[in-house]
Amino acid sequence: MAAQKELCDAIVIGAGIQGCFTAYHLAKHRKRVILLEQFFLPHSRGSSHGQSRIIRRAYPEDFYTQMMEECYQIWAQLEHEAGTQLHRQTGLLLLGMKENPELKTIQATLSRQAVEHQCLSAEELKQRFPNVRLARGEVGLLDESGGVLYADKALRALQDAIRHLGGLVCDGEKVMEIKPGLPVMVKTTSRSHQAKSLIITAGPWTNQLLRPLGIELPLQTLRINVCYWREKVPGSYSVSQAFPCFLGLDLSPAPHHIYGLPSGEYPGLMKVCYHHGNNVDPEERDCPEAFSDIQDVQILGRFVRDHLPDLEPKPAVLEHCLYTNTPDEHFILDRHPKYDNIVIGAGFSGHGFKLSPVVGKILYELSMKLKPSYDLTPFRMSRFSGLGKAHL
């Protein structure tokens, strides 16, 4: 096994969107960084692949809406540097019952944070989006700043930028062992690396790396069905027809959120998905579908039939993605309780992609012992009982 003799400033494990943005911020600040990825790039084994993600300021929590302010700026900066379009503004339409507490909280947050939005009655929605059908009592809230991020293009742009800034992107290097200390040593399938600090952004594989270091985070890996539905009239739900992204908040028949993006990835197909999935081992994500997978698709089919009547109510394409969820669905951005030069970014719970520019900045700051730009109270691992220093 060849040894990597030179001591670098930081090693980042996991080249999904969070790891890429972390390495990008490190390289931008002239730090010598190595980004390790167990699979050959590009790959579809984790949570960052595919062509599109929703970007939005609409959140119940002020802290996410505040973080999104800077995220939009960094996305625009990356787009400028890459010379390629990574984002398209479409608006985000939130649908829910008029008395839905989450809808009311989101509206209050948008008002407090001075984000442009519109409350739409059933009648106004019908005029503006005639191919959305509402049940009695449902209303809309439009976050004007919402839109689509071109996910695979963003990953490519970041990996190119990291290399251009002098960082190393090493794919096909699975981490076999982490030896904590100063420096920290990381042994992979092909060589050993040493660094002053280590950042772990390994998604569903996080606990495999953390267990030998004495901690296990309360993470649950879910396999999500990513479904595409054929338009009866091609283009009727497209960006060119000014159709927005949408988020359905606990609408019948779904006990969890349903979200959708305008057609575009596959011509004539609209992405509509269930923000929930089934437990899965990340090494066995391609195993045959469970009965509960089929139930999830049936729930989506009924939603499509009732709310999006110009789509065929059976999915034309079905793909998969992994979520790594925490119990409260807030991220973990923290230092290892025993080794303060090991930093962890985990548990992005299916809503981390849009926030990755700021998450990467925070993980960079933690790894360089700088004062974090944001209050990290909601993201500390100590909020889960038994995960403070006493646990070790």
Side-chain angles (χ1 to χ4, degrees), residues 265-320:
E265 279 180 65
Y266 296 114
L269 300 182
M270 183 181 180
K271 183 175 177 177
V272 181
C273 308
Y274 197 33
H275 190 61
H276 187 67
N278 300 290
N279 283 334
V280 70
D281 179 334
E283 304 295 353
E284 297 173 7
R285 54 160 283 165
D286 296 321
C287 288
E289 288 175 19
F291 175 64
S292 42
D293 278 320
I294 297 159
Q295 278 185 313
D296 288 354
V297 175
Q298 286 172 342
I299 287 170
L300 274 176
R302 289 197 290 276
F303 175 87
V304 165
R305 182 196 65 205
D306 295 344
H307 287 83
L308 303 166
D310 294 340
L311 293 178
E312 301 286 355
K314 278 205 171 84
V317 175
L318 202 159
E319 297 172 349
H320 293 115

Side-chain angles (χ1 to χ4, degrees), residues 111-184:
S111 297
R112 256 195 317 277
Q113 301 296 329
V115 176
E116 239 177 87
H117 64 282
Q118 290 178 47
C119 300
L120 300 171
S121 67
E123 199 49 51
E124 288 167 323
L125 268 170
K126 198 174 173 183
Q127 284 172 1
R128 185 116 175 234
F129 307 111
N131 47 1
V132 176
R133 187 190 289 152
L134 295 183
R136 187 188 296 276
E138 289 175 3
V139 295
L141 175 63
L142 189 66
D143 169 2
E144 308 274 6
S145 65
V148 179
L149 287 169
Y150 300 129
D152 52 353
K153 285 185 182 175
L155 277 172
R156 254 198 321 275
L158 280 167
Q159 287 155 12
D160 289 347
I162 293 160
R163 292 186 188 102
H164 180 70
L165 292 162
L168 283 179
V169 180
C170 304
D171 61 350
E173 276 200 51
K174 184 179 169 75
V175 171
M176 305 306 288
E177 187 185 0
I178 297 166
K179 286 185 181 167
L182 257 178
V184 60

Side-chain angles (χ1 to χ4, degrees), residues 16-68:
I17 196 67
Q18 312 297 345
C20 281
F21 258 118
T22 304
Y24 169 79
H25 284 290
L26 283 157
K28 273 237 164 209
H29 289 87
R30 296 188 167 83
K31 303 299 177 190
R32 288 163 302 169
V33 60
I34 298 173
L35 177 60
L36 298 177
E37 171 52 55
Q38 63 174 324
F39 301 113
F40 287 101
L41 296 168
H43 72 82
S44 58
R45 316 301 302 161
S47 307
S48 295
H49 61 281
Q51 292 180 49
S52 63
R53 295 291 187 281
I54 291 175
I55 186 168
R56 60 186 162 108
R57 284 187 171 90
Y59 263 99
E61 299 86 5
D62 287 85
F63 57 83
Y64 286 128
T65 302
Q66 287 162 357
M67 288 164 84
M68 281 309 302

Side-chain angles (χ1 to χ4, degrees), residues 231 251 256 258 360:
E231 295 168 314
L251 298 176
H256 299 277
I258 287 175

Side-chain angles (χ1 to χ4, degrees), residues 215 335-340 342 344 381 387-389 391-392:
I215 56 171
R335 288 195 184 92
H336 190 289
K338 188 174 177 187
Y339 310 111
D340 75 344
I342 297 178
I344 301 154
M381 63 176 81
L387 277 172
K389 287 189 189 291
H391 179 66
L392 288 152

